[in-house]
Coordinates of all heavy atoms in Angstrom, one line a residue:
M29 N -90.5 -288.2 -58.4 CA -90.8 -287.4 -57.3 C -91.4 -286.0 -57.7 O -92.2 -285.5 -56.8 CB -89.6 -287.2 -56.4 CG -89.1 -288.5 -55.8 SD -90.1 -289.2 -54.5 CE -89.6 -288.2 -53.1
P30 N -91.1 -285.5 -58.8 CA -91.6 -284.1 -59.1 C -93.2 -284.1 -59.1 O -93.8 -283.1 -58.7 CB -91.1 -283.8 -60.5 CG -89.9 -284.7 -60.6 CD -90.2 -285.9 -59.8
H31 N -93.8 -285.2 -59.6 CA -95.3 -285.2 -59.6 C -95.8 -285.1 -58.2 O -96.9 -284.6 -57.9 CB -95.8 -286.4 -60.4 CG -95.5 -287.7 -59.8 ND1 -94.2 -288.3 -59.9 CD2 -96.2 -288.6 -59.0 CE1 -94.2 -289.5 -59.3 NE2 -95.4 -289.6 -58.8
W32 N -95.2 -285.8 -57.2 CA -95.6 -285.7 -55.8 C -95.4 -284.3 -55.2 O -96.2 -283.8 -54.5 CB -94.8 -286.7 -54.9 CG -95.3 -288.1 -55.1 CD1 -94.7 -289.1 -55.7 CD2 -96.6 -288.6 -54.6 NE1 -95.4 -290.2 -55.7 CE2 -96.6 -289.9 -55.0 CE3 -97.6 -288.1 -53.9 CZ2 -97.7 -290.8 -54.7 CZ3 -98.7 -288.9 -53.7 CH2 -98.7 -290.2 -54.0
R33 N -94.3 -283.7 -55.6 CA -94.0 -282.3 -55.1 C -95.1 -281.4 -55.6 O -95.6 -280.5 -54.8 CB -92.7 -281.8 -55.6 CG -92.2 -280.5 -55.0 CD -90.8 -280.2 -55.4 NE -89.9 -281.2 -55.1 CZ -89.0 -281.7 -55.9 NH1 -88.8 -281.2 -57.1 NH2 -88.1 -282.7 -55.6
D34 N -95.5 -281.5 -56.8 CA -96.6 -280.6 -57.4 C -97.9 -280.9 -56.7 O -98.7 -280.0 -56.4 CB -96.7 -280.8 -58.9 CG -95.5 -280.4 -59.7 OD1 -94.7 -279.6 -59.1 OD2 -95.3 -280.8 -60.8
A35 N -98.2 -282.2 -56.5 CA -99.5 -282.6 -55.9 C -99.6 -282.1 -54.5 O -100.7 -281.7 -54.0 CB -99.7 -284.1 -56.0
L36 N -98.5 -282.1 -53.7 CA -98.5 -281.7 -52.3 C -98.3 -280.2 -52.1 O -98.6 -279.7 -51.0 CB -97.4 -282.5 -51.6 CG -97.5 -284.0 -51.5 CD1 -96.3 -284.6 -50.9 CD2 -98.8 -284.4 -50.8
A37 N -97.9 -279.5 -53.1 CA -97.6 -278.1 -53.0 C -98.8 -277.3 -52.6 O -98.7 -276.3 -51.9 CB -97.0 -277.5 -54.2
D38 N -100.0 -277.7 -53.0 CA -101.2 -276.9 -52.7 C -102.0 -277.3 -51.4 O -103.0 -276.8 -51.1 CB -102.2 -277.1 -53.9 CG -101.6 -276.5 -55.2 OD1 -100.8 -275.5 -55.1 OD2 -101.9 -277.0 -56.3
I39 N -101.4 -278.3 -50.7 CA -102.1 -278.7 -49.5 C -101.7 -277.8 -48.3 O -100.5 -277.6 -48.1 CB -101.7 -280.2 -49.1 CG1 -102.2 -281.2 -50.2 CG2 -102.3 -280.6 -47.7 CD1 -101.7 -282.6 -50.0
P40 N -102.7 -277.2 -47.7 CA -102.4 -276.3 -46.5 C -101.8 -277.1 -45.4 O -102.1 -278.2 -45.1 CB -103.7 -275.7 -46.1 CG -104.7 -276.1 -47.2 CD -104.1 -277.3 -47.9
L41 N -100.9 -276.5 -44.7 CA -100.2 -277.1 -43.5 C -101.2 -277.6 -42.5 O -101.0 -278.6 -41.8 CB -99.2 -276.1 -42.9 CG -98.3 -276.7 -41.8 CD1 -97.5 -277.9 -42.3 CD2 -97.4 -275.6 -41.2
D42 N -102.3 -276.9 -42.3 CA -103.3 -277.3 -41.4 C -104.0 -278.6 -41.7 O -104.6 -279.2 -40.8 CB -104.4 -276.2 -41.3 CG -104.0 -274.9 -40.8 OD1 -102.9 -274.8 -40.2 OD2 -104.7 -273.9 -40.9
E43 N -103.8 -279.1 -42.9 CA -104.4 -280.4 -43.3 C -103.4 -281.5 -43.2 O -103.7 -282.6 -43.6 CB -105.0 -280.3 -44.7 CG -106.2 -279.4 -44.8 CD -106.8 -279.4 -46.1 OE1 -106.6 -280.3 -46.9 OE2 -107.5 -278.4 -46.4
C44 N -102.2 -281.2 -42.7 CA -101.2 -282.3 -42.5 C -101.2 -282.8 -41.1 O -101.2 -282.0 -40.2 CB -99.8 -281.7 -42.9 SG -99.7 -281.1 -44.6
F45 N -101.1 -284.1 -40.9 CA -101.2 -284.7 -39.6 C -100.0 -285.6 -39.4 O -99.4 -286.1 -40.4 CB -102.5 -285.4 -39.4 CG -103.7 -284.5 -39.5 CD1 -104.4 -284.4 -40.7 CD2 -104.1 -283.8 -38.4 CE1 -105.5 -283.5 -40.7 CE2 -105.2 -283.0 -38.4 CZ -105.9 -282.9 -39.6
F46 N -99.7 -285.9 -38.2 CA -98.6 -286.8 -37.9 C -99.1 -287.9 -37.0 O -99.9 -287.7 -36.1 CB -97.5 -286.0 -37.1 CG -96.4 -286.8 -36.6 CD1 -95.4 -287.2 -37.4 CD2 -96.4 -287.3 -35.3 CE1 -94.3 -288.0 -37.0 CE2 -95.3 -288.0 -34.8 CZ -94.3 -288.4 -35.7
R47 N -98.7 -289.1 -37.3 CA -99.0 -290.3 -36.5 C -97.8 -291.1 -36.3 O -97.1 -291.4 -37.2 CB -100.1 -291.1 -37.2 CG -100.5 -292.4 -36.4 CD -101.5 -293.2 -37.1 NE -100.9 -294.0 -38.2 CZ -100.3 -295.2 -38.1 NH1 -100.1 -295.7 -36.9 NH2 -99.9 -295.8 -39.2
M48 N -97.5 -291.4 -35.0 CA -96.4 -292.3 -34.7 C -96.7 -293.7 -35.2 O -97.8 -294.2 -35.0 CB -96.1 -292.3 -33.2 CG -95.5 -291.1 -32.6 SD -93.8 -290.9 -33.2 CE -92.9 -291.7 -32.0
M49 N -95.7 -294.3 -35.7 CA -95.8 -295.7 -36.1 C -95.7 -296.6 -34.9 O -95.0 -296.3 -33.9 CB -94.7 -296.1 -37.1 CG -94.8 -295.3 -38.4 SD -93.5 -295.7 -39.6 CE -93.9 -297.4 -40.0
T50 N -96.5 -297.6 -34.9 CA -96.4 -298.6 -33.7 C -95.2 -299.5 -33.9 O -94.7 -299.6 -35.0 CB -97.7 -299.4 -33.6 OG1 -97.9 -300.1 -34.8 CG2 -98.9 -298.5 -33.4
P51 N -94.8 -300.2 -32.8 CA -93.6 -301.0 -32.9 C -93.7 -302.1 -34.0 O -92.8 -302.3 -34.8 CB -93.5 -301.7 -31.6 CG -94.1 -300.7 -30.6 CD -95.2 -300.0 -31.4
H52 N -94.9 -302.7 -34.2 CA -95.0 -303.8 -35.2 C -94.9 -303.2 -36.6 O -94.4 -303.8 -37.5 CB -96.2 -304.6 -35.0 CG -97.5 -303.9 -35.2 ND1 -98.2 -303.3 -34.1 CD2 -98.3 -303.7 -36.3 CE1 -99.3 -302.7 -34.6 NE2 -99.4 -303.0 -35.9
E53 N -95.4 -301.9 -36.8 CA -95.3 -301.3 -38.1 C -93.8 -301.0 -38.4 O -93.4 -301.2 -39.6 CB -96.1 -300.0 -38.1 CG -97.6 -300.2 -38.1 CD -98.3 -298.9 -38.0 OE1 -97.9 -298.0 -37.2 OE2 -99.4 -298.8 -38.6
V54 N -93.0 -300.5 -37.5 CA -91.6 -300.3 -37.7 C -90.9 -301.6 -38.0 O -90.1 -301.6 -38.9 CB -91.0 -299.6 -36.4 CG1 -89.5 -299.5 -36.6 CG2 -91.6 -298.2 -36.2
G55 N -91.2 -302.6 -37.2 CA -90.6 -303.9 -37.5 C -90.9 -304.5 -38.9 O -89.9 -304.9 -39.6
R56 N -92.1 -304.4 -39.3 CA -92.4 -304.8 -40.7 C -91.7 -303.9 -41.7 O -91.2 -304.4 -42.7 CB -93.9 -304.8 -40.9 CG -94.7 -305.8 -40.1 CD -94.5 -307.2 -40.6 NE -95.2 -307.4 -41.8 CZ -95.3 -308.5 -42.5 NH1 -94.6 -309.6 -42.1 NH2 -96.0 -308.7 -43.6
G57 N -91.7 -302.6 -41.5 CA -91.0 -301.7 -42.4 C -89.5 -302.0 -42.5 O -88.9 -301.7 -43.5
C58 N -88.9 -302.5 -41.4 CA -87.5 -302.8 -41.4 C -87.2 -304.2 -42.0 O -86.0 -304.5 -42.1 CB -86.9 -302.7 -40.0 SG -86.9 -301.1 -39.3
G59 N -88.2 -304.9 -42.3 CA -88.0 -306.2 -42.9 C -88.1 -307.4 -41.9 O -87.9 -308.5 -42.3
F60 N -88.4 -307.1 -40.7 CA -88.6 -308.2 -39.7 C -90.0 -308.7 -39.8 O -90.8 -308.0 -40.4 CB -88.3 -307.6 -38.3 CG -86.9 -307.3 -38.0 CD1 -86.5 -306.0 -38.1 CD2 -86.0 -308.3 -37.7 CE1 -85.1 -305.6 -37.9 CE2 -84.6 -307.9 -37.5 CZ -84.2 -306.6 -37.6
D61 N -90.3 -309.8 -39.2 CA -91.7 -310.3 -39.3 C -92.4 -310.5 -38.0 O -92.8 -311.6 -37.7 CB -91.7 -311.6 -40.1 CG -91.0 -312.7 -39.4 OD1 -90.2 -312.5 -38.4 OD2 -91.2 -313.9 -39.7
P62 N -92.5 -309.5 -37.2 CA -93.2 -309.6 -35.9 C -94.7 -309.8 -36.2 O -95.1 -309.6 -37.3 CB -92.9 -308.3 -35.2 CG -92.7 -307.3 -36.2 CD -92.0 -308.1 -37.3
D63 N -95.4 -310.1 -35.2 CA -96.9 -310.2 -35.3 C -97.4 -308.9 -35.8 O -97.1 -307.8 -35.3 CB -97.6 -310.6 -34.0 CG -97.2 -311.9 -33.5 OD1 -96.7 -312.7 -34.3 OD2 -97.5 -312.2 -32.3
F64 N -98.3 -309.0 -36.8 CA -98.9 -307.8 -37.4 C -100.2 -308.1 -38.0 O -100.3 -308.9 -39.0 CB -97.9 -307.3 -38.5 CG -98.4 -306.0 -39.2 CD1 -98.2 -304.8 -38.5 CD2 -99.0 -306.0 -40.4 CE1 -98.6 -303.6 -39.1 CE2 -99.4 -304.8 -41.0 CZ -99.2 -303.6 -40.4
G65 N -101.3 -307.6 -37.4 CA -102.6 -307.9 -37.9 C -102.9 -309.4 -37.8 O -102.7 -310.0 -36.8
D66 N -103.2 -310.0 -39.0 CA -103.5 -311.4 -39.0 C -102.2 -312.2 -39.2 O -102.2 -313.5 -39.2 CB -104.5 -311.8 -40.1 CG -105.8 -311.2 -39.9 OD1 -106.2 -311.0 -38.7 OD2 -106.6 -311.0 -40.8
H67 N -101.1 -311.6 -39.4 CA -99.8 -312.3 -39.7 C -99.2 -312.7 -38.4 O -99.0 -311.8 -37.5 CB -98.8 -311.3 -40.5 CG -97.5 -311.9 -40.6 ND1 -97.2 -312.9 -41.6 CD2 -96.3 -311.7 -40.0 CE1 -95.9 -313.2 -41.5 NE2 -95.4 -312.5 -40.6
K68 N -98.9 -313.9 -38.2 CA -98.2 -314.4 -37.0 C -96.7 -314.6 -37.4 O -96.3 -315.5 -38.1 CB -98.8 -315.8 -36.6 CG -98.2 -316.3 -35.3 CD -98.5 -315.5 -34.1 CE -98.0 -316.1 -32.9 NZ -97.9 -315.2 -31.7
G69 N -95.9 -313.6 -36.9 CA -94.5 -313.6 -37.2 C -93.7 -314.6 -36.4 O -94.1 -315.2 -35.4
T70 N -92.5 -314.9 -36.8 CA -91.6 -315.8 -36.2 C -90.5 -315.0 -35.4 O -89.7 -315.6 -34.6 CB -90.9 -316.7 -37.2 OG1 -90.2 -315.9 -38.1 CG2 -91.9 -317.6 -37.9
F71 N -90.4 -313.7 -35.6 CA -89.4 -312.9 -34.9 C -90.0 -312.3 -33.7 O -91.0 -311.6 -33.7 CB -88.9 -311.8 -35.9 CG -87.7 -311.1 -35.4 CD1 -86.5 -311.6 -35.6 CD2 -87.9 -309.9 -34.7 CE1 -85.4 -310.9 -35.1 CE2 -86.8 -309.2 -34.3 CZ -85.5 -309.7 -34.5
T72 N -89.4 -312.6 -32.5 CA -89.9 -312.1 -31.2 C -89.2 -310.9 -30.8 O -87.9 -310.9 -30.7 CB -89.8 -313.2 -30.1 OG1 -90.5 -314.3 -30.6 CG2 -90.4 -312.7 -28.8
V73 N -89.9 -309.8 -30.4 CA -89.3 -308.6 -29.9 C -89.8 -308.4 -28.5 O -91.0 -308.3 -28.3 CB -89.7 -307.4 -30.8 CG1 -89.0 -306.1 -30.3 CG2 -89.3 -307.6 -32.2
W74 N -88.8 -308.3 -27.6 CA -89.2 -308.1 -26.2 C -89.2 -306.6 -25.8 O -88.6 -305.8 -26.4 CB -88.3 -308.9 -25.3 CG -88.4 -310.4 -25.5 CD1 -89.5 -311.1 -25.5 CD2 -87.3 -311.3 -25.7 NE1 -89.3 -312.4 -25.8 CE2 -87.9 -312.6 -25.9 CE3 -85.9 -311.2 -25.8 CZ2 -87.1 -313.7 -26.1 CZ3 -85.2 -312.3 -26.0 CH2 -85.8 -313.6 -26.1
G75 N -89.8 -306.3 -24.7 CA -89.8 -305.0 -24.1 C -91.0 -304.2 -24.4 O -91.9 -304.7 -25.1
K76 N -91.1 -303.0 -23.8 CA -92.2 -302.1 -24.0 C -92.0 -301.5 -25.4 O -91.0 -301.6 -26.0 CB -92.2 -301.1 -22.9 CG -92.5 -301.7 -21.6 CD -92.7 -300.7 -20.6 CE -93.0 -301.4 -19.3 NZ -93.6 -300.6 -18.2
G77 N -93.0 -300.8 -25.9 CA -93.0 -300.2 -27.2 C -91.8 -299.4 -27.5 O -91.2 -299.5 -28.6
R78 N -91.4 -298.5 -26.6 CA -90.3 -297.6 -26.9 C -89.0 -298.4 -27.0 O -88.2 -298.1 -27.9 CB -90.2 -296.6 -25.8 CG -89.1 -295.6 -26.1 CD -89.1 -294.5 -25.1 NE -88.1 -293.5 -25.4 CZ -88.4 -292.3 -26.0 NH1 -89.7 -292.0 -26.3 NH2 -87.5 -291.5 -26.3
D79 N -88.9 -299.4 -26.2 CA -87.7 -300.3 -26.2 C -87.6 -301.1 -27.5 O -86.6 -301.3 -28.1 CB -87.6 -301.3 -25.0 CG -87.5 -300.6 -23.7 OD1 -86.9 -299.5 -23.7 OD2 -88.1 -301.0 -22.7
Q80 N -88.8 -301.5 -28.0 CA -88.9 -302.2 -29.3 C -88.4 -301.3 -30.4 O -87.7 -301.7 -31.3 CB -90.3 -302.8 -29.5 CG -90.6 -303.9 -28.6 CD -92.1 -304.4 -28.8 OE1 -92.6 -304.1 -29.9 NE2 -92.6 -305.0 -27.8
I81 N -89.0 -300.1 -30.4 CA -88.6 -299.1 -31.5 C -87.1 -298.8 -31.5 O -86.4 -298.8 -32.5 CB -89.4 -297.8 -31.3 CG1 -90.9 -298.0 -31.5 CG2 -88.9 -296.7 -32.3 CD1 -91.3 -298.3 -32.9
D82 N -86.5 -298.6 -30.3 CA -85.1 -298.4 -30.1 C -84.3 -299.6 -30.7 O -83.3 -299.5 -31.3 CB -84.7 -298.2 -28.7 CG -85.1 -296.8 -28.2 OD1 -85.5 -296.0 -29.0 OD2 -85.1 -296.6 -27.0
G83 N -84.8 -300.8 -30.4 CA -84.1 -302.0 -30.9 C -84.1 -302.1 -32.4 O -83.1 -302.5 -33.0
Y84 N -85.2 -301.8 -33.0 CA -85.3 -301.8 -34.5 C -84.3 -300.8 -35.0 O -83.7 -301.0 -36.0 CB -86.7 -301.6 -35.0 CG -87.7 -302.7 -34.8 CD1 -88.9 -302.5 -34.2 CD2 -87.4 -304.0 -35.2 CE1 -89.8 -303.5 -34.0 CE2 -88.3 -305.0 -35.0 CZ -89.5 -304.8 -34.4 OH -90.3 -305.8 -34.3
G85 N -84.2 -299.7 -34.4 CA -83.3 -298.6 -34.8 C -81.9 -299.0 -34.8 O -81.0 -298.5 -35.5
N86 N -81.5 -299.9 -33.9 CA -80.1 -300.4 -33.8 C -79.8 -301.6 -34.5 O -78.7 -302.1 -34.6 CB -79.8 -300.6 -32.3 CG -79.8 -299.3 -31.5 OD1 -79.4 -298.3 -32.0 ND2 -80.2 -299.4 -30.2
A87 N -80.8 -302.2 -35.2 CA -80.7 -303.5 -35.9 C -80.2 -303.3 -37.3 O -80.4 -302.3 -37.9 CB -82.0 -304.2 -35.8
V88 N -79.6 -304.3 -37.8 CA -79.3 -304.4 -39.2 C -80.4 -305.3 -39.8 O -80.5 -306.4 -39.4 CB -77.9 -305.0 -39.5 CG1 -77.7 -305.2 -41.0 CG2 -76.8 -304.2 -38.9
T89 N -81.3 -304.7 -40.6 CA -82.4 -305.4 -41.1 C -82.0 -306.6 -42.0 O -81.0 -306.5 -42.7 CB -83.4 -304.5 -41.8 OG1 -82.7 -303.9 -42.9 CG2 -83.9 -303.3 -40.9
P90 N -82.8 -307.6 -42.0 CA -82.5 -308.8 -42.8 C -82.2 -308.6 -44.3 O -81.3 -309.2 -44.8 CB -83.7 -309.7 -42.6 CG -84.3 -309.3 -41.3 CD -84.1 -307.8 -41.2
P91 N -82.8 -307.7 -45.0 CA -82.5 -307.4 -46.4 C -81.1 -306.9 -46.6 O -80.5 -307.1 -47.6 CB -83.5 -306.4 -46.9 CG -84.7 -306.6 -45.9 CD -84.1 -306.9 -44.6
V92 N -80.5 -306.2 -45.6 CA -79.2 -305.6 -45.8 C -78.1 -306.6 -46.0 O -77.3 -306.6 -46.9 CB -78.9 -304.6 -44.6 CG1 -77.4 -304.1 -44.7 CG2 -79.8 -303.4 -44.7
P93 N -78.0 -307.6 -45.0 CA -76.9 -308.6 -45.3 C -77.1 -309.4 -46.5 O -76.2 -309.9 -47.2 CB -76.9 -309.5 -44.0 CG -77.9 -308.9 -43.1 CD -78.6 -307.8 -43.8
L94 N -78.4 -309.7 -46.9 CA -78.7 -310.4 -48.1 C -78.2 -309.6 -49.3 O -77.5 -310.2 -50.2 CB -80.2 -310.7 -48.2 CG -80.6 -311.3 -49.5 CD1 -80.0 -312.8 -49.6 CD2 -82.1 -311.4 -49.6
W95 N -78.4 -308.3 -49.3 CA -78.0 -307.4 -50.4 C -76.4 -307.4 -50.5 O -75.8 -307.6 -51.5 CB -78.5 -306.0 -50.2 CG -78.1 -305.1 -51.2 CD1 -78.7 -304.9 -52.5 CD2 -77.0 -304.1 -51.2 NE1 -78.0 -303.9 -53.1 CE2 -77.0 -303.4 -52.4 CE3 -76.1 -303.9 -50.2 CZ2 -76.1 -302.4 -52.6 CZ3 -75.1 -302.9 -50.5 CH2 -75.1 -302.2 -51.7
I96 N -75.8 -307.3 -49.3 CA -74.3 -307.2 -49.3 C -73.7 -308.6 -49.7 O -72.8 -308.6 -50.5 CB -73.8 -306.9 -47.9 CG1 -74.2 -305.4 -47.5 CG2 -72.3 -307.1 -47.7 CD1 -73.9 -305.0 -46.1
G97 N -74.3 -309.6 -49.2 CA -73.8 -311.0 -49.6 C -73.9 -311.2 -51.1 O -73.1 -311.8 -51.7
T98 N -75.1 -310.8 -51.7 CA -75.3 -311.0 -53.1 C -74.2 -310.3 -53.9 O -73.7 -310.8 -54.9 CB -76.7 -310.5 -53.5 OG1 -77.7 -311.3 -52.7 CG2 -77.0 -310.8 -55.0
R99 N -73.9 -309.0 -53.5 CA -72.9 -308.2 -54.2 C -71.6 -308.8 -54.1 O -70.8 -308.9 -55.0 CB -72.9 -306.8 -53.7 CG -74.2 -305.9 -54.0 CD -74.9 -306.2 -55.3 NE -76.1 -305.5 -55.5 CZ -77.3 -305.9 -55.2 NH1 -77.5 -307.0 -54.5 NH2 -78.3 -305.2 -55.6
L100 N -71.2 -309.3 -52.9 CA -69.9 -309.9 -52.6 C -69.7 -311.2 -53.5 O -68.7 -311.4 -54.0 CB -69.7 -310.2 -51.2 CG -69.4 -309.0 -50.3 CD1 -69.4 -309.4 -48.8 CD2 -68.1 -308.4 -50.6
R101 N -70.8 -311.9 -53.5 CA -70.7 -313.2 -54.3 C -70.5 -312.9 -55.8 O -69.7 -313.5 -56.5 CB -72.0 -314.0 -54.2 CG -71.9 -315.3 -54.9 CD -73.1 -316.1 -54.8 NE -73.0 -317.3 -55.5 CZ -73.3 -318.5 -55.1 NH1 -73.9 -318.7 -53.9 NH2 -73.1 -319.5 -55.9
E102 N -71.1 -311.8 -56.3 CA -70.9 -311.4 -57.7 C -69.4 -311.0 -57.9 O -68.9 -311.3 -59.0 CB -71.8 -310.3 -58.1 CG -73.3 -310.7 -58.1 CD -74.2 -309.5 -58.3 OE1 -73.7 -308.3 -58.5 OE2 -75.4 -309.7 -58.3
V103 N -68.8 -310.4 -57.0 CA -67.4 -310.0 -57.1 C -66.5 -311.1 -56.9 O -65.5 -311.3 -57.7 CB -67.1 -308.8 -56.1 CG1 -65.6 -308.6 -56.0 CG2 -67.9 -307.6 -56.4
L104 N -66.7 -312.0 -55.9 CA -65.8 -313.1 -55.6 C -66.0 -314.3 -56.6 O -65.0 -315.0 -56.8 CB -66.0 -313.5 -54.2 CG -65.7 -312.5 -53.1 CD1 -66.0 -313.0 -51.8 CD2 -64.2 -312.1 -53.2
H105 N -67.2 -314.5 -57.1 CA -67.4 -315.6 -58.0 C -68.2 -315.1 -59.2 O -69.4 -315.5 -59.3 CB -68.2 -316.7 -57.2 CG -67.6 -317.2 -56.0 ND1 -66.5 -318.0 -56.0 CD2 -67.9 -316.9 -54.7 CE1 -66.1 -318.2 -54.7 NE2 -67.0 -317.6 -53.9
P106 N -67.6 -314.4 -60.0 CA -68.3 -313.9 -61.2 C -68.7 -315.0 -62.1 O -68.0 -316.0 -62.3 CB -67.3 -312.9 -61.9 CG -66.0 -313.3 -61.4 CD -66.2 -314.0 -60.0
T107 N -69.9 -314.8 -62.7 CA -70.4 -315.8 -63.7 C -69.9 -315.4 -65.1 O -69.9 -314.2 -65.4 CB -71.9 -315.9 -63.7 OG1 -72.5 -314.7 -63.9 CG2 -72.4 -316.5 -62.3
S108 N -69.5 -316.3 -65.9 CA -69.1 -315.9 -67.2 C -70.3 -315.8 -68.1 O -71.3 -316.5 -68.0 CB -68.1 -317.0 -67.8 OG -68.8 -318.2 -67.9
G109 N -70.2 -314.8 -69.0 CA -71.3 -314.7 -70.0 C -71.9 -313.4 -69.9 O -72.6 -312.8 -70.2

């Protein structure tokens, strides 16, 4: 991260912009697979954009339970070696 801090230190604030992420971008970033560009997802999200964003914010993304389950399995069923 230090190299990013140095690179960004000289950028004037006037050259910094903000863009809201769209619902499908948030969904993909959270690990869900909604429709995105040419990708036809299998996960359906209902509601208007704001409701979709709120829903993603309240969700436990798919990678989280996988990560927890993998760690629990290692503890409960350790492999020898």
Side-chain angles (χ1 to χ4, degrees):
M29 295 289 277
H31 63 282
W32 283 108
R33 189 174 305 132
D34 294 340
L36 296 174
D38 297 329
I39 297 176
L41 186 59
D42 294 346
E43 292 183 21
C44 298
F45 298 94
F46 175 79
R47 180 181 73 82
M48 285 292 270
M49 295 176 71
T50 61
H52 65 271
E53 291 173 319
V54 172
R56 291 289 283 181
C58 289
F60 294 97
D61 69 341
D63 293 347
F64 183 77
D66 294 335
H67 174 78
K68 182 66 176 165
T70 58
F71 190 83
T72 303
V73 182
W74 295 312
K76 296 186 179 197
R78 184 173 187 102
D79 297 327
Q80 292 179 18
I81 297 288
D82 288 345
Y84 288 129
N86 291 326
V88 175
T89 61
V92 172
L94 177 64
W95 180 83
I96 292 171
T98 302
R99 296 323 180 270
L100 284 173
R101 183 179 179 137
E102 291 172 3
V103 170
L104 297 174
H105 304 287
T107 57
S108 60

